[in-house]
Amino acid sequence: MKTNQIGLEKSETAPINEKLNALLSSYHVFYQNVRGYHWNVKGEHFFSLHTKFEELYTELQLQIDEIAERILTLAGTPLHAYSDFTKYSSIKEDKNVFDGRECVEGLVSGLQELIEEQRSVIEAAGEAGDEGTVDLITGYVQAQEKLIWMYNAFLGVKK
């Protein structure tokens, strides 16, 4: 059988699954970074940031599951070992960050990295006629672009 369960050519979805697994890895590392920010943030904005970080990592947890399920839908196998996540992630671990401003800067940097990686997934999926993946990932990009704007407003960034 040359097509997967949803009628897409396996030869065309294999590279998409590879990109989705790399994205899944980046999401996992970013998720852990955000959990660390949530647990460790200190300073005058503790209460507002602690809550916002929890909202974000809760959303990331749902997105991780959706990405893994999309890989399965495309007849792939989602990565599930932390050694793979650190190997394939475009995002690096951000350890022992306590200052609220530094936490938010880490968030913005991570979101920017995710968006860049997701645009590559969208391009590959579009070329393969994989509208489901395009739609899923485009929604993430749109929401994350808004988060970048909001967190940059908190930081006072004027771009």
Side-chain angles (χ1 to χ4, degrees):
M1 181 184 252
K2 293 185 178 191
T3 60
N4 61 22
Q5 61 190 347
I6 58 172
L8 296 173
E9 293 290 327
K10 288 181 182 178
S11 62
E12 292 185 19
T13 57
I16 299 167
N17 273 331
E18 193 172 302
K19 287 181 177 290
L20 284 171
N21 262 316
L23 181 63
L24 181 65
S25 298
S26 296
Y27 262 82
H28 271 281
V29 172
F30 186 58
Y31 170 84
Q32 279 306 127
N33 288 348
V34 176
R35 290 294 300 246
Y37 302 150
H38 170 76
W39 292 327
N40 296 317
V41 66
K42 301 198 180 343
E44 66 179 295
H45 299 290
F46 168 81
F47 289 105
S48 60
L49 291 176
H50 185 76
T51 301
K52 293 310 278 182
F53 297 158
E54 184 173 7
E55 289 172 11
L56 181 55
Y57 76 66
T58 300
E59 182 67 23
L60 291 168
Q61 188 176 18
L62 294 172
Q63 293 167 335
I64 285 168
D65 194 55
E66 291 172 343
I67 293 166
E69 289 173 350
R70 188 64 192 170
I71 292 167
L72 290 164
T73 300
L74 295 175
T77 302
L79 297 175
H80 58 277
Y82 280 101
S83 57
D84 288 332
F85 299 153
T86 57
K87 180 178 179 181
Y88 295 106
S89 175
S90 64
I91 297 174
K92 302 301 177 212
E93 294 174 328
D94 199 7
K95 298 178 185 178
N96 299 319
V97 181
F98 304 98
D99 176 73
R101 184 174 185 82
E102 288 179 34
C103 292
V104 174
E105 288 170 350
L107 280 181
V108 170
S109 176
L111 289 167
Q112 289 169 331
E113 189 64 43
L114 283 179
I115 289 171
E116 183 178 328
E117 193 169 346
Q118 290 169 141
R119 287 180 176 147
S120 174
V121 172
I122 291 167
E123 182 179 343
E127 290 172 4
D130 178 6
E131 293 87 1
T133 299
V134 170
D135 184 57
L136 177 70
I137 304 301
T138 298
Y140 297 165
V141 169
Q142 183 180 13
Q144 291 162 356
E145 288 172 340
K146 183 176 180 179
L147 285 175
I148 288 173
W149 162 69
M150 294 171 75
Y151 284 119
N152 274 332
F154 172 86
L155 293 171
V157 173
K158 298 175 185 174
K159 286 186 179 182

